[in-house]
Amino acid sequence: MKKKMINLSVMLLVIAVLLIGCVQQESTQGGKTSNDNKIVVGFSLGTIKEERWQREIEMAKKFAKEHNFELVVQSAEEDASKQVKQVENMVTQGIDVLIISAQDSESAGAVVDIAHRAGVPVIAYDRLVRNGDLDYYVTFDTVKVGELQAQGLVQKYPKGNYIWLLGGPEDFNAYLLKEGQEKVLKPLIQKGDIKIVTQQWCKGWSPEEALKHTENGLTAANNNVVAVLASNDNTAGGAVQALEAQGLAGKVGVSGQDADLAAVQRIVEGKQTMTIYKPIKVLNQKVMELAYALAKGEKEKVNSMVNGKVNNGTKDVPSVVVDVVNVTKENVVDTVIKDGFHKIEDVYKNIPKNEWPKQ
Ligand code: BGC
């Protein structure tokens, strides 16, 4: 019995020595606990109003979980100064890399300075941060999105009066879209084939603004309008609402982007002409891989991901550019449904089952 007691005490002593050893080992690493060594990535979003952003948060969380790092997500609820404060906080709490989708492209340059002072690299996500020493930009080709939107409409409506709804003036993407849209529309306007009844910005990409501008455009043209060039699906939704009130939904062309479920439903119902499917799964995977590689200091991996550059007013920002897909009634099944972005039963929810296409 006594011998057993001695054995037990020796065992306890050994365990205690081992434990102290572990604690000492941690404290020799510059006072960091093992938790401090875990990678932390900050993900700051200007808005989560559109369906896409909410999906992207879920994707980012999944990636972080699978790769065992911490992800801090915050949305500024369309308040640019709140976004700066949120980032300041994230940086103080300690992050290794910042991913930002800016609410206001111009004022977000301040965010880059804040992060850099703490040695944190910054990746702009989808929305460019202008006028700052931005490190990387992961994006779709937004000028091309604008071109495809305009092309989608002029192919079907080559002549007549157009209502032109631009995106949120606070978001640089809205200007890039305009640039792409102009490439297609300008020659037709100059030829006299297309007349712009009204061209309006939709602050905050708001569907309410889009509704109001479409109503005003319809009134000004006595309802003689062939198409509404809307810069995203949310604003397209506002435009379709205004058209519905005049019995014009389905008769007037409407563009969009994001392939939101509501928009794809409108497409198969014939109320919206097209949208752009931006594979956000790919975009999100790219940004998370880039952030993770940056946090781990894997320079070669980072460099191998860069496939372009975009000028942000200060410099040519090394960029990762992802391609986009045009979606119409004809190719819904082969694009968004085939890619698992939406389910056929959701897209065709309002269409009798015997009219559903074969998959
Ligand atoms: C994005 C669009 C989105 C819009 C509103 C733009 O910067 O590129 O996909 O619809 O913001 O959130």
Side-chain angles (χ1 to χ4, degrees):
M1 177 73 180
K2 204 175 174 192
K3 205 177 164 194
K4 260 194 189 164
M5 289 265 291
I6 291 170
N7 278 348
L8 192 69
S9 329
V10 170
M11 258 173 66
L12 285 175
L13 194 71
V14 171
I15 291 171
V17 168
L18 282 176
L19 278 176
I20 290 166
C22 287
V23 172
Q24 273 177 348
Q25 208 185 349
E26 272 179 8
S27 60
T28 52
Q29 295 172 355
K32 277 188 173 180
T33 66
S34 58
N35 200 35
D36 281 335
N37 289 331
K38 194 169 181 180
I39 288 171
V40 185
V41 172
F43 188 13
S44 164
L45 296 107
T47 178
I48 50 166
K49 209 169 60 184
E50 283 77 15
E51 179 184 303
R52 61 163 292 186
W53 304 118
Q54 294 172 31
R55 284 183 174 226
E56 281 155 285
I57 291 175
E58 289 318 306
M59 291 168 189
K61 281 185 181 164
K62 189 163 172 263
F63 185 99
K65 199 169 169 204
E66 281 165 6
H67 292 80
N68 192 31
F69 66 84
E70 200 183 317
L71 183 76
V72 184
V73 184
Q74 280 193 316
S75 159
E77 290 155 337
E78 298 176 66
D79 179 340
S81 52
K82 185 169 173 184
Q83 186 164 35
V84 176
K85 282 193 204 107
Q86 285 181 334
V87 169
E88 242 163 359
N89 256 332
M90 279 186 192
V91 171
T92 314
Q93 300 291 313
I95 50 174
D96 296 286
V97 179
L98 173 70
I99 302 170
I100 177 166
S101 171
Q103 171 57 24
D104 185 303
S105 312
E106 300 294 328
S107 64
V111 163
V112 178
D113 293 340
I114 293 167
H116 279 182
R117 262 182 256 132
V120 175
V122 183
I123 310 171
Y125 182 63
D126 190 284
R127 295 176 167 191
L128 186 58
V129 170
R130 298 256 308 147
N131 306 324
D133 184 21
L134 182 66
D135 298 285
Y136 295 96
Y137 183 29
V138 176
T139 185
F140 296 108
D141 182 344
T142 306
V143 176
K144 185 173 168 191
V145 173
E147 273 182 71
L148 290 174
Q149 291 173 325
Q151 272 163 11
L153 290 183
V154 300
Q155 268 159 18
K156 287 201 160 189
Y157 308 92
K159 285 183 181 183
N161 290 338
Y162 271 56
I163 292 173
W164 194 342
L165 303 178
L166 302 164
E170 66 287 339
D171 177 2
F172 191 65
N173 275 349
Y175 299 86
L176 295 174
L177 290 167
K178 181 169 180 266
E179 188 185 322
Q181 295 161 351
E182 273 170 356
K183 272 193 199 172
V184 178
L185 286 190
K186 262 202 171 151
L188 296 167
I189 296 170
Q190 275 157 6
K191 237 172 102 186
D193 285 354
I194 287 175
K195 186 173 166 245
I196 306 301
V197 172
T198 179
Q199 186 196 57
Q200 300 287 341
W201 294 95
C202 298
K203 196 169 180 295
W205 297 86
S206 145
E208 292 77 23
E209 291 241 324
L211 170 77
K212 185 182 74 193
H213 296 319
T214 309
E215 277 172 354
N216 292 343
L218 288 173
T219 310
N222 232 342
N223 278 2
N224 178 14
V225 165
V226 294
V228 182
L229 176 53
S231 289
N232 80 342
D233 285 341
N234 249 5
T235 49
V240 169
Q241 213 180 316
L243 292 172
E244 264 167 349
Q246 298 299 315
L248 291 173
K251 294 184 186 135
V252 171
V254 179
S255 62
Q257 69 155 317
D258 289 339
D260 280 354
L261 179 59
V264 184
Q265 286 172 339
R266 286 194 294 268
I267 288 177
V268 299
E269 288 162 27
K271 294 179 190 163
Q272 185 172 326
T273 316
M274 56 86 66
T275 185
I276 303 291
Y277 169 44
K278 308 201 293 190
I280 50 176
K281 214 166 154 184
V282 179
L283 193 78
N284 200 263
Q285 177 84 18
K286 295 268 183 210
V287 82
M288 296 309 283
E289 272 176 17
L290 185 66
Y292 192 41
L294 272 174
K296 288 195 293 177
E298 293 175 351
K299 282 209 176 110
E300 260 177 49
K301 161 96 186 171
V302 169
N303 292 340
S304 74
M305 291 187 71
V306 171
N307 65 356
K309 50 186 179 209
V310 176
N311 194 285
N312 76 337
T314 300
K315 64 189 261 204
D316 281 338
V317 183
S319 304
V320 180
V321 186
V322 174
D323 218 357
V324 298
V325 185
N326 197 22
V327 180
T328 60
K329 199 173 185 172
E330 286 69 39
N331 72 355
V332 163
V333 173
D334 289 331
T335 55
V336 281
I337 294 176
K338 196 167 166 198
D339 213 21
F341 194 65
H342 293 303
K343 295 195 185 85
I344 191 158
E345 54 272 30
D346 295 331
V347 171
Y348 286 88
K349 198 178 104 200
N350 306 322
I351 307 274
K353 203 153 184 188
N354 59 352
E355 290 172 29
W356 290 14
K358 293 203 173 55
Q359 263 182 296

